[in-house]
Amino acid sequence: MKEMSRRQALALGSGLVAITLLPLPATASIEEVNEDIKKFTGGAEAAESAIIKLEVPEIAENGNTVPLSVSVDSPMTADNYVKRVILLAEKNPNPGVATFHFTARSGVAEASTRMRLATTQNVVAVAELSDGSFHMTKSTVKVTIGGCGG
Amino acid sequence: MAKSKPRVKAPKSASKGEVITIKTLISHKMESGQRKDKQGNVIPRSIINHFTAKFNGEVVFEVDIEPAISANPYLQFKMRVDEPGEFEFIWNDDDGSVYTKKQKLKVG
Amino acid sequence: MELKNKATVSALGVAFAALLVPGLLAGGEALALPEGIETVKVAPTSKDHPLDEILSGWHFRSPETQALQEDDFENPAFLWVEQGEELWSTVEGAANKSCSSCHDDASETMATAGANMPKWNEALGKPVNLEQQINHCRTERMEADAWKWESTQLLAMTAYVRNQSRGEPVAVQTDGPMKPWFEKGKDIYYTRVGQLDMACSSCHEGYYGQQIRADRLSQGQTNGFPTYRFKWQKIGSLHRRFKGCMKNIRATPYKVGSDEFLALELYTAWRGQGLPVEAPAVRQ
C-alpha cells in the first residue's frame, strides 16, 4: 500500500474549493426569512410549538438531496385541520423551499420531499391551522461540503 | 431528460376511512436560476413550480414548489379514503407544460 | 443549483482536523437492503485479492442516502430504468428491430449479463462493457445510430439492463484473452498520476472507511453503476465517475469509452468479484 500524504489529502480538498468557488450566490438574510414568515402568517405571531414536527437528517452527505418530512398533530376534520405548512431554509440563496396545502381530506397532516441546502443551516417549518393559529419549529442540518466530488 | 415523466405509487384499493400514503416522483432537472454557465451567463430558472393532487375532481393536496426542491422532485403525502374514484396528479412546469397522471382507486 | 457557499472556504480551516480520521458516519447498519440484495459484504474469491473484505459503496453511506436506495420507488434512478424499459421494445434503425426482437424478455435474457461485463467480444477482438455492447447491437443488429456516451438513452438502457441482473454476484472473466486487459487495468489502478501524484489505490485500497475532509472513502466498488449521485443530480456511468476521480487528483482524465477506462473497469470489477450487482445505486 502506498501512503497518502497529508499534503495530498489536503490538496485533494483544496482543488475542490477552487472549483466550487466560482459564483457564490448570496445567502438569504434572517430578515428575509422573517419577512417570508410574516407574509405567510399575515403578521400574526408564530410561536414554537410541539404540535409541528420536522424530520431532517442531522448530517446530509450532499446538500443537493436532503430528505425532509413534516407532520402536524391535528384531527384533520372539516372544522379543525391544518391548512398550510411553509418550509424555509435560513441560509439558502432564497429561503423558500415549498408550501404544502392540506385539506381535511388529507386525513393526516404529513408530507415529505427532498430539498437543496446550500450550507449547514436551520430549516424552519410554520403551520397554519384552520382556527387561524400559527405554529413553528426549526431543525439544524449539517451539510457536508468539500468531499471528493468527481 | 427531454420530457418530464411522472411516476406515482398509490394503492389500487383501500377500505373506507383508511388513510393512504401516496408517493410521486417526476423527472426534471429543476434548474434553480442560481447557476452560471462557463461563459458566466446565468442559466435561466426552469422548474416544476406546482403540484396538485385531486380525487374525483376535488383538490386534496397541493404544493407550491421553489427552486430549493431537489432535481427529480419527490413528494409524499396522505389522503383519507371516503369513496371509490379516480386520482388526478398534476405537475406545472415553468415553461407552461402540464404533466398529468390518473389512477383509479377501489374501495372494498 | 450548484451548492456553493462560504462554508467551503472555512472548511479548508477545519481540513486538518477532518483529515483522514476514522469515519464519523455510521454506515451500513441502519436500513434494509434493496430487493434482491442479500449482502453488501463478501469475502474475496481468490487468494491474491488485495482486500480482506469486499464492501459495496452502500456500506459507506449515511442512513439517509441508503434509505433512498432501499425502495425502488424512492430511488430516483428508476426514472431512467423505466425509460430503458420503454426503449427495450422500441423499434429503431434500418433493420426494423428493437432490443426485444433478439433478446425477448429482458428479465430472463439479461438476468446475468449485467454481472459479467466487461466481456470478451470475438468479433471486435477486444472486451466490451455494457455501454459498448448496447451500441454494438444498435449499429450491427438494428442498423441504428450508436447512442452518445452519457446520453439519456444510453444511461437509461444501461440502467435497465444492469438492473435485470440485480443481486447477481459480479463475475468477470480475467484469464484467456482478457488477461492483458486485466493486467493493463491493474497497472492503471496502481500507477500514480496527476499533480497530486496519486493512484486509485492511494484512496480506495489503503484508506477506505476513513474521512478525506468531508467525504468518507469507499473501496471504489463498481457494482452499483450506473449510479444516481446527488452531486450529479442524475444517473451517471462508471466512466464518468472515473473521470471525476482523475480530475480530483488533478490528472488529465482518459476519455469515457477509452481502452484505458475499459481495462480499469475490468480490473475494478474483479476487485468487487462476488458482490451482488446493485445497479442502479444511490450515492452522495
Side-chain angles (χ1 to χ4, degrees), chain C residues 103 132-144:
Chain C
H103 299 292
Q132 291 164 334
Q133 181 62 55
I134 290 165
N135 271 335
H136 186 66
C137 282
R138 283 183 63 81
T139 55
E140 302 307 307
R141 307 274 176 260
M142 295 167 67
E143 297 172 43

Side-chain angles (χ1 to χ4, degrees), chain A residues 1-17 19-27 56-65 67 92-93 114 116-120 143-150, chain C residues 1 3-9 11-12 15-16 19-20 25 60-62 64-65 68 74-76 190 192 196-198 201-203 205-207 212-215 217 229-233 240-241 244-245 248-250 284:
Chain A
M1 184 185 86
K2 286 156 187 162
E3 294 285 308
M4 182 179 1
S5 71
R6 189 176 270 287
R7 182 187 62 80
Q8 283 170 323
L10 187 61
L12 250 182
S14 62
L16 269 169
V17 171
I19 294 160
T20 47
L21 266 180
L22 289 171
L24 278 182
T27 59
V56 285
E58 210 179 298
I59 302 168
E61 281 192 292
N62 185 301
N64 280 344
T65 306
N92 268 4
R114 297 165 189 164
R116 292 162 165 161
L117 293 180
T119 183
T120 294
V143 177
T144 304
I145 288 156
C148 288
Chain C
M1 176 168 68
L3 293 166
K4 311 148 177 143
N5 54 78
K6 291 161 192 155
T8 341
V9 182
L12 245 191
F16 281 107
L19 198 68
L20 300 176
L25 300 168
F60 300 96
R61 302 283 54 94
S62 75
E64 289 82 13
T65 307
L68 291 197
E74 304 204 5
N75 180 345
Y190 286 105
R192 291 164 169 262
L196 295 188
D197 194 29
M198 290 170 83
S201 56
S202 309
C203 288
E205 186 164 300
Y207 291 104
I212 179 140
R213 297 189 65 239
D215 218 346
L217 288 169
R229 289 190 77 221
F230 300 156
K231 151 107 186 167
W232 296 336
Q233 305 188 59
R240 180 177 179 188
R241 188 68 189 93
C245 271
N248 282 350
I249 58 169
R250 300 186 201 164
Q284 82 288 22

Side-chain angles (χ1 to χ4, degrees), chain A residues 63-84:
Chain A
N64 280 344
T65 306
V66 183
L68 162 157
S69 269
V70 66
S71 62
V72 186
D73 194 3
S74 161
M76 296 305 273
T77 55
D79 49 10
N80 186 1
Y81 67 99
V82 181
K83 285 173 107 167
R84 299 185 295 164

Side-chain angles (χ1 to χ4, degrees), chain A residues 35-121:
Chain A
E35 198 54 43
D36 280 7
I37 295 176
K38 234 164 98 187
K39 229 186 276 167
F40 181 78
T41 64
E45 185 71 18
E48 294 221 18
S49 157
I51 70 160
I52 177 164
K53 287 195 176 62
L54 188 58
E55 228 180 283
V56 285
E58 210 179 298
I59 302 168
E61 281 192 292
N62 185 301
N64 280 344
T65 306
V66 183
L68 162 157
S69 269
V70 66
S71 62
V72 186
D73 194 3
S74 161
M76 296 305 273
T77 55
D79 49 10
N80 186 1
Y81 67 99
V82 181
K83 285 173 107 167
R84 299 185 295 164
V85 173
I86 192 170
L87 297 162
L88 301 162
E90 284 185 352
K91 287 186 183 168
N92 268 4
N94 295 305
V97 175
T99 306
F100 296 130
H101 299 256
F102 297 97
T103 61
R105 278 296 297 269
S106 299
V108 174
E110 190 184 306
S112 309
T113 187
R114 297 165 189 164
M115 66 182 161
R116 292 162 165 161
L117 293 180
T119 183
T120 294
Q121 59 184 296

